[in-house]
Amino acid sequence: MINFILCIHIHQPVGNFDFVVEDAYKNAYLPFLQALSKYPRIKLSLHTSGYLLEWLNENHKEYLDLLWQMIEKGQVEMMGAGYYEPVLAVIPKRDRIGQIKLMSDKLDEYFGVRPKGIWLTERVWEPHLPESLNAAGVEYVVVDDYHFVKAGFKKEDLSGYYITEEQGHVLKVFPGSERLRYVIPFEPIEKFIEHLKNIESSLQRSSVRLPLAVFADDGEKFGVWPGTHKWVYKEGWLERFLETLNHNLEWIKPVTFSEYLKDNEPSGRVYLPTTSYMEMGEWALPAEASLEYTNLIQDVKKWHDSERIKRFLQGGMWRNFMAKYSEANWMHKRMLLVSKEAEKSENPAAINCLYKSQANDAYWHGVFGGLYLPHLRSSVYENLIKAENLIEDVKNQPPIAISEQDFDADTHNEILIKTPKFNVFLRPHSGGGIQELDFKPIAYNLTNCLARRYEGYHHRVKTQGNGGAGEGTKSIHDTVVSKEQGLEKSLVYDNYERLSLIDRFIKPGAPLSPLSVDDLQTGRFEEGGDFVGALYKHEFRNQNSELVLTRNGIVFGKPVRIEKKIYFTDDSLLRIDYQLANLDASPLHTLFCSEWNILLGFGLKARDMGSMEEFELEEDWLGLKFRMKLNPCANLYTYPIDTVSFSESGFERNFQGLCILPCWEINLAPGNACKIELSIDAASLV
Amino acid sequence: MINFILCIHIHQPVGNFDFVVEDAYKNAYLPFLQALSKYPRIKLSLHTSGYLLEWLNENHKEYLDLLWQMIEKGQVEMMGAGYYEPVLAVIPKRDRIGQIKLMSDKLDEYFGVRPKGIWLTERVWEPHLPESLNAAGVEYVVVDDYHFVKAGFKKEDLSGYYITEEQGHVLKVFPGSERLRYVIPFEPIEKFIEHLKNIESSLQRSSVRLPLAVFADDGEKFGVWPGTHKWVYKEGWLERFLETLNHNLEWIKPVTFSEYLKDNEPSGRVYLPTTSYMEMGEWALPAEASLEYTNLIQDVKKWHDSERIKRFLQGGMWRNFMAKYSEANWMHKRMLLVSKEAEKSENPAAINCLYKSQANDAYWHGVFGGLYLPHLRSSVYENLIKAENLIEDVKNQPPIAISEQDFDADTHNEILIKTPKFNVFLRPHSGGGIQELDFKPIAYNLTNCLARRYEGYHHRVKTQGNGGAGEGTKSIHDTVVSKEQGLEKSLVYDNYERLSLIDRFIKPGAPLSPLSVDDLQTGRFEEGGDFVGALYKHEFRNQNSELVLTRNGIVFGKPVRIEKKIYFTDDSLLRIDYQLANLDASPLHTLFCSEWNILLGFGLKARDMGSMEEFELEEDWLGLKFRMKLNPCANLYTYPIDTVSFSESGFERNFQGLCILPCWEINLAPGNACKIELSIDAASLV
């Protein structure tokens, strides 16, 4: 006799496209539940993330009705989690508790049940979690057996559940089977039966517990992942699986987590290290290490004492995404800022927006696009800015408020200029650039751009051909194709952060003259200044309504001083007044550029636009008009910033923003200075 | 040019023998400081743990005077830490902050300086630490480069310090060189110079930071570890090292941590996983895994792509000691209980005792005895009981108070019976045994016994010969000898927890008759009951002044009921009234034993003491008399519980307590019952 827990987690990111969710519903969520409902003795432990639950409630009540019936019959146990699928370890404790309670409340509202356990988002475990999980009323959690192996257990010795605790706050932890994650639904049913037979026969009988096998994984594997709909439903994998299970009920007893807990004592005590599932360990490492680790894992599998080594191999931890991608760190720290404001405000609508902004998807990148998907990042900023708008009482705001703080925890202060229309976050220590420029009326971060980075898997873009979706029986981890040809041409890497208001001096003249937009796009130009990423001094002037950034640097060997005064005009334009001074005893002749990276202009090609005094972008889908005015007029170049990244359906190119590069030819006699004015405006389209 | 930080941590466990500390002082602490003081340009960052600092103040003011002069001159930077060297990650947040602040206050009091950074006790890192470290005013911490490697860095790319944070609370982290930990003081000075040259030449120059090499390690390596006094001082290693350094000051610039921070920007951002130094990862794993991991590490070193694999190998985390040793878990949870009481009381003396009880040494075991040293465990209990005595106002306590709570976070409630003289903690779910029996007048836990466990290194006890101390130049990690011959005979393992009041039924008659104390000691007897470790029902009787534990079990195939009533007599003896009932339809003839494991009677041999009605132990050094009365009289066996464990000077045997085993022959007709009375007393010797 063996207990079997079938646990499914279904989830859609906050801000995902509606048609994507609808597809997932039709191809996976609905057919899975319908199939299962025909086998009432096969129990399911189910987690539906909050955003998806609400979407189902709005779009497919019939799904919730069916679910409700299955819950009533005792076939389904609902599990909780952080409501919008945050990585629990990295959000503030009060939000951790708040999001879990919100999920419990919603389940109570929808189905009249309060969950006892939670689905641990992305299985990101940290040892201090039990304390806040306890405070949120969580009794159990499910992770991978991989977590236990990293704590020194052997997979074959695992069974049932274990006790862990933090400061005496107890949590029961189930190890989910990694083997079953690969078997279900990708291998023949016999492999499943075989695995359960092995567990049943190998584990020592105990009077206080029955052997247990736990499958706990994403429900998207049953129909959303490439090829799986055909395999799971049309080719009958799921039907065969359920039918087989139903025929083996005399020795396989499907139970829910709570049913198992009621009848069985814990198997022991465990302290799990900072880890997630095995693959997350590959993704979270820095690019070089990620490649090395992935290769090593592949190689070790072929060695004769593979298990002996694999057991002790470990990759990176989730938090490292914040070191790997400064954009993720910035988003995370922005979220912490709003969390503090939301806590003070006690405004429920703002807190709900805050919770939405904590959805994990946009903060990292593995086999799904994640951070590389601009619409997911935009959704984070949208919710953060909406939360602030709700808290701030925009109508009664002062025309301008400047504050200074180390917002992103890098030991340097950033500057925040707030107006009723804009938030501007500036980094004096990073070239005096703009980190974030929010247009508050539509809650949009205009500078939400991602730098082009080397990824450990990029060499495979060159070696893999393009093609259709993978074969049905392959796990997503094995399937890599390119979604378009020639992707390798987009493998260009930035050696700087894609802020805005970056001050460049580019060499005009041979061999780079005339400046080609292609060279700019691919970074093949000579930077003659030392201002990019460097430390600017800052001061506030004119009764704290203006920020002035200054730096003395070197341009092609000559001392040059940049001053940029940043303020808002009476008609609420963002204005930058540059003053460039030649501090040298010889004339200065060079090209000065102010680089802006704006998440607008999807579909635009690289262009040398010639001399312009104004540049405008209209985005109908956003309802936004963006305008940059240049005085004197500048030679303007624009090019799309494209990245190449993994997605579940293969390598793909993503537009991360438009680089707008106004360039001015500078001719300065010794000791002379010149002025350049830039103004930025955004307006809602009605 | 390269910066060099020399950082030394010196420490003695709370409760260590005075002569041991004195030896360490003479052989290491004093000569090291004296030698260094002759080279004023060679800076030192020093951490002295609180207990040692106080000891020095009481016993060797001249050391503190010299230190004070060196601080005044700017040669020494004092570092903070948790005052009594707790593992910060596992003590309550308020104590973490309290202990660090206490250290800062003491340094201020002694030397007029407040530390900016801390020595991280046992380098046990967990990612949630920065928040409370910030609250305690900590700006920086030093860990091993190993921690960074586990976060995906390559050792050769490391330099300077890094930013980490939790919820935006920033902490600066220095990676200490593992290589230097082996070079200093064990290898020729040339290796040191070579290492620094390598770093200096390989690291990319940066305008915002100088290359840095950090040596951060235990000061006991300079004279306390076997052979090191001779090597470091008599054979002149330290003098050569300082002299060489002093001759290379044109390119090696010794600085303190704070000096480096003042002049250098951070090298990047990092999120370190739950880890400590490399060796801790071996020790913290379960025994089987520990052996496998240690062997793997040894083997991998010989492979040609060694570095490629080693980089991603990881052992266990510190918390796992609480899963590996239930005694460590119990101590830790007892500490949490007292911490709550101490917090409520706000009694500074009690809080100081609590802090002392948190000293890490007794809670784990690696290359030092640690948990295996009874005097260190006794010191923990002494401080816990003293804290409670201070809080409780013993004189006005009720004669008896019984409470029920899951004290040790195992999901089962334990029972605490408190009298003015005793604390008794009972475990109904573990055979109804006594976990802890405190004699409060001298703050002594009588049942502080450690079970005999398999350790991953035990096979080496058999293969290694015994001998003197290791050779001077060997690191402690390579040195293993046995401190006495025949240790392998003590390799006996218990399959149960060494509680007291354990109910056994042992088969009398051939081949085990007469019961031999040697067989009892080595576990070669047939246990006929199923009561050991099993779940007893419990209820409180007689106005909550008596605890009654009952269980129906099986003895050699026959149903038997045990009832044990536990209470205190008017003359404050702990009394256990057993009632054994034969529930079978046939007669029961067996041997019943009540097993007690008491940390008294050091030096006593295994003995069959024959029939006794009273057993007494007097411990002059403790000032304690212990008495057990038996009614009817019993055949009494006693044997020492000896363990074999690693210590810094080799494998050693340690007395963990005396097993006292009164046995009664039971003859019960069907349906009949018999009574056995046991009373326990302890008294202070005046």
Side-chain angles (χ1 to χ4, degrees), chain A residues 166 265 299 308 319 412, chain B residues 166 265 299 308 319 412:
Chain A
E166 155 72 358
E265 287 285 308
D299 289 352
R308 180 188 173 211
R319 288 188 194 234
H412 290 287
Chain B
E166 155 72 357
E265 287 285 308
D299 288 352
R308 182 190 171 209
R319 287 188 194 234
H412 290 286

Side-chain angles (χ1 to χ4, degrees), chain B residues 206-219:
Chain B
S206 156
S207 61
V208 290
R209 54 184 180 272
L210 262 184
L212 172 69
V214 178
F215 168 78
D217 207 347
D218 297 348

Side-chain angles (χ1 to χ4, degrees), chain A residues 372-618:
Chain A
Y372 275 96
L373 302 179
H375 69 284
L376 292 188
R377 297 199 307 273
S378 284
S379 167
V380 169
Y381 284 110
E382 182 187 337
N383 283 300
L384 289 173
I385 300 163
K386 274 185 181 165
E388 286 183 329
N389 287 348
L390 284 162
I391 295 163
E392 279 170 2
D393 183 10
V394 183
K395 281 171 193 160
N396 295 314
Q397 254 186 295
I400 192 153
I402 302 193
S403 59
E404 180 176 355
Q405 189 180 320
D406 179 6
F407 293 103
D408 64 351
D410 70 347
T411 74
H412 290 287
N413 276 1
E414 289 79 34
I415 315 289
L416 166 60
I417 310 178
K418 255 183 186 304
T419 75
K421 203 164 141 186
F422 289 105
N423 294 323
V424 194
F425 287 87
L426 286 121
R427 307 174 68 88
H429 52 289
S430 299
I434 292 174
Q435 171 77 53
E436 180 177 336
L437 175 57
D438 300 330
F439 180 55
K440 290 156 78 170
I442 59 160
Y444 191 75
N445 172 10
L446 288 155
T447 57
N448 173 17
C449 184
L450 193 75
R452 300 171 298 185
R453 281 185 181 79
Y454 168 68
E455 292 284 356
Y457 53 74
H458 271 166
H459 66 286
R460 294 166 68 192
V461 175
K462 292 170 194 164
T463 56
Q464 309 266 346
N466 70 324
E471 296 142 50
T473 55
K474 273 197 176 173
S475 161
I476 199 165
H477 307 291
D478 306 324
T479 314
V480 191
V481 292
S482 287
K483 289 168 77 177
E484 61 179 294
Q485 278 187 317
L487 272 189
E488 65 277 10
K489 282 177 212 144
S490 295
L491 293 178
V492 174
Y493 305 120
D494 296 323
N495 58 3
Y496 64 103
E497 294 180 67
R498 283 272 173 185
L499 307 178
S500 284
L501 196 63
I502 297 175
D503 304 326
R504 299 196 169 281
F505 293 88
I506 297 180
K507 190 163 198 168
L512 291 161
S513 172
L515 214 49
S516 105
V517 72
D518 187 52
D519 288 343
L520 289 170
Q521 186 173 20
T522 51
R524 283 175 312 207
F525 59 85
E526 191 179 341
E527 173 68 55
D530 62 355
F531 291 87
V532 180
L535 176 69
Y536 281 60
K537 283 184 192 155
H538 70 276
E539 63 175 304
F540 305 117
R541 284 194 203 150
N542 201 3
Q543 284 143 2
N544 268 6
S545 70
E546 298 172 357
L547 166 69
V548 180
L549 298 167
T550 50
R551 182 170 183 272
N552 290 346
I554 302 291
V555 174
F556 294 109
K558 293 179 183 177
V560 167
R561 175 184 177 84
I562 293 186
E563 177 183 296
K564 33 189 183 184
K565 184 166 81 175
I566 296 144
Y567 60 104
F568 281 87
T569 62
D570 291 341
D571 46 352
S572 67
L573 300 180
L574 169 61
R575 183 68 182 266
I576 294 101
D577 291 353
Y578 273 106
Q579 184 162 305
L580 309 180
N582 175 11
L583 307 181
D584 200 42
S586 68
L588 177 72
H589 179 210
T590 182
L591 212 54
F592 171 70
C593 314
S594 180
E595 179 180 324
W596 291 69
N597 296 295
I598 305 290
L599 183 49
L600 293 173
F602 176 81
L604 292 184
K605 299 242 178 290
R607 274 186 73 184
D608 176 348
M609 307 190 72
S611 178
M612 301 193 75
E613 64 181 10
E614 191 173 309
F615 175 70
E616 208 175 83
L617 284 170
E618 242 184 65

Side-chain angles (χ1 to χ4, degrees), chain A residues 91 163 165-167 265 269 274 288-289 299 308 311-312 314 319 329 333 336 408-409 411-412, chain B residues 91 163 165-167 265 269 274 288-289 299 308 311-312 314 319 329 333 336 408-409 411-412:
Chain A
I91 64 172
I163 296 297
E165 52 84 31
E166 155 72 358
Q167 308 291 344
E265 287 285 308
R269 182 177 291 275
T274 43
E288 178 271 344
D299 289 352
R308 180 188 173 211
R311 175 175 181 192
F312 298 110
Q314 195 162 341
R319 288 188 194 234
N329 182 58
K333 300 307 176 294
L336 292 182
D408 64 351
T411 74
H412 290 287
Chain B
I91 63 172
I163 296 298
E165 53 84 29
E166 155 72 357
Q167 308 292 344
E265 287 285 308
R269 181 178 293 274
T274 44
E288 177 272 344
D299 288 352
R308 182 190 171 209
R311 177 176 180 191
F312 297 111
Q314 196 163 342
R319 287 188 194 234
N329 182 58
K333 299 308 175 293
L336 292 183
D408 64 351
T411 73
H412 290 286

Side-chain angles (χ1 to χ4, degrees), chain A residues 279-300:
Chain A
E279 300 86 346
M280 184 67 89
E282 297 180 28
W283 304 330
L285 283 171
E288 178 271 344
S290 178
L291 174 61
E292 287 292 317
Y293 181 63
T294 305
N295 288 343
L296 179 64
I297 294 269
Q298 290 303 325
D299 289 352
V300 167

